[in-house]
Amino acid sequence: MTLNEVYQESLLKLQNPDVDEINIRIILCEVNRIKTMTEYYLHKNDNIRDLQLFYSIFARFLDGEPLQYILGKTEFFGLEFCVNRNVLIPRQETEEVVAFALQKIKQEFGTKSIRLLDVCCGSGCMGISVAKNIACSSIIFSDLSPAAIQVTKNNLTKHNLDAKTYIGNALKPIIYNGEKVDVVVSNPPYIINRSDVDESVVKFEPEMALFCTDSLEVYSKIFEGLEKIKDGKLLAVFEIGYDLKELLITLIHEKLPNAHYEFAKDINGKERILSLTL
């Protein structure tokens, strides 16, 4: 069968072809080792290399498994990252956090080389994206999940970056090892209600990285340790829940009364970014 024949056959099996038809072509590109959609259209009448492999991947996709997990990779901030079910799939909202962080770093530190920490790092996509765009004298990643840290290590190798990795809760391993940093980026778990999340996310993505019993719990733990990991100016940039602004202001006043804070809106007009300057 040709790629186009497989595409047409598979299109009939989609519940929402307007949204998902692109994913058929992505799978076909993966199976036939095609790098771009332009190349796909030039070769759509070629025979498929491995029809059974296509059917296997497509069946998992029809079952609701995210294509990023099936293929083991995704794009974030113009870079390719390894992902599996031990880490969240990076999202556009988090790209906006990275873009904001880069803007703030340049504002606060100019061209100075920074010491960077990505806490609750998951795949490491935030810290790696920052490090590929800003000069860093040191880079550190930490996460409570050993499996997530392994994914980060894979991505550090993929992007040829030298960094330290720690396993532990919030800033505990950073403080314990006496590390000092200039910039912190973080996307901690903050969701309480499972009903707020799509069923496929709950089914396939790691619970530890998504849910918590108190939406401020991890923020609070990080805020408590920030003074202990700085030895000069420190900038911390967080992804936050769209409804957490007022609660976080109260928490900042309690834990970091001398910090300057700023909230920023995402592309949808929701306040999803917090920066702290100490």
Side-chain angles (χ1 to χ4, degrees):
M1 293 179 72
T2 68
L3 296 178
N4 192 51
E5 287 171 340
V6 177
Y7 171 80
Q8 296 297 334
E9 175 190 81
S10 303
L11 202 58
L12 300 174
K13 300 178 182 179
L14 295 178
Q15 290 186 349
N16 193 347
D18 291 339
V19 174
D20 291 333
E21 59 89 18
I22 181 64
N23 292 307
I24 300 175
R25 285 186 267 127
I26 291 171
I27 298 170
L28 289 168
C29 286
E30 186 72 16
V31 172
N32 267 42
R33 302 170 195 166
I34 294 171
K35 294 181 179 179
T36 67
M37 280 299 157
T38 300
E39 189 181 347
Y40 166 81
Y41 285 114
L42 290 173
H43 292 276
K44 67 180 183 177
N45 292 316
D46 291 359
N47 288 330
I48 190 164
R49 286 174 179 259
D50 189 335
L51 185 59
Q52 292 308 311
L53 175 59
F54 173 84
Y55 284 150
S56 173
I57 294 173
F58 189 55
R60 290 169 65 184
F61 175 72
L62 289 178
D63 189 46
E65 185 173 355
L67 194 56
Q68 295 93 329
Y69 287 155
I70 300 172
L71 302 182
K73 61 185 179 181
T74 192
E75 185 176 299
F76 179 86
F77 215 73
L79 302 169
E80 185 177 278
F81 286 89
C82 306
V83 292
N84 60 33
R85 290 178 64 172
N86 295 305
V87 298
L88 292 179
I89 297 168
R91 287 167 168 80
Q92 181 181 349
E93 292 89 345
T94 308
E95 287 186 317
E96 294 182 58
V97 181
V98 169
F100 181 84
L102 289 170
Q103 174 189 326
K104 290 294 291 185
I105 291 167
K106 290 174 183 176
Q107 178 182 317
E108 297 292 341
F109 296 97
T111 58
K112 175 188 171 184
S113 186
I114 62 163
R115 297 167 294 178
L116 175 67
L117 166 65
D118 184 348
V119 59
C120 305
C121 63
S123 65
C125 65
M126 290 183 72
I128 290 172
S129 297
V130 170
K132 295 294 282 187
N133 285 277
I134 290 285
C136 295
S137 57
S138 68
I139 316 169
I140 304 170
F141 295 83
S142 72
D143 200 285
L144 189 57
S145 165
I149 286 294
Q150 185 55 56
V151 177
T152 290
K153 288 181 177 179
N154 293 343
N155 283 317
L156 288 168
T157 300
K158 185 179 185 70
H159 293 289
N160 196 30
L161 287 173
D162 184 27
K164 294 180 181 179
T165 57
Y166 292 113
I167 298 167
N169 195 351
L171 296 181
K172 280 187 177 181
I174 313 305
I175 296 167
Y176 178 81
N177 286 281
E179 302 283 6
K180 301 295 182 182
V181 302
D182 305 306
V183 176
V184 178
V185 293
S186 184
N187 179 17
Y190 53 77
I191 301 170
I192 297 175
N193 299 317
R194 290 173 180 268
S195 59
D196 292 340
V197 180
D198 290 343
E199 183 180 340
S200 64
V201 174
V202 175
K203 182 178 179 181
F204 291 103
E205 300 200 39
E207 183 173 315
M208 181 190 296
L210 285 167
F211 300 109
C212 53
T213 55
D214 176 355
S215 58
L216 296 183
E217 179 183 0
V218 183
Y219 294 105
S220 181
K221 289 177 180 177
I222 295 173
F223 289 3
E224 287 172 356
L226 288 177
E227 291 283 359
K228 298 174 183 177
I229 63 170
K230 82 180 190 78
D231 60 2
K233 182 190 295 184
L234 185 140
L235 169 70
V237 180
F238 301 87
E239 181 170 327
I240 66 172
Y242 70 92
D243 56 350
L244 292 181
K245 177 179 178 179
E246 296 306 321
L247 292 172
L248 282 166
I249 289 174
T250 300
L251 185 67
I252 294 166
H253 289 163
E254 176 189 341
K255 302 290 184 181
L256 298 165
N258 296 318
H260 172 76
Y261 61 86
E262 177 184 351
F263 291 89
K265 294 179 179 179
D266 66 11
I267 197 170
N268 298 312
K270 295 181 179 179
E271 286 174 313
R272 296 291 308 278
I273 306 169
L274 164 67
S275 72
L276 297 170
T277 308
L278 284 71

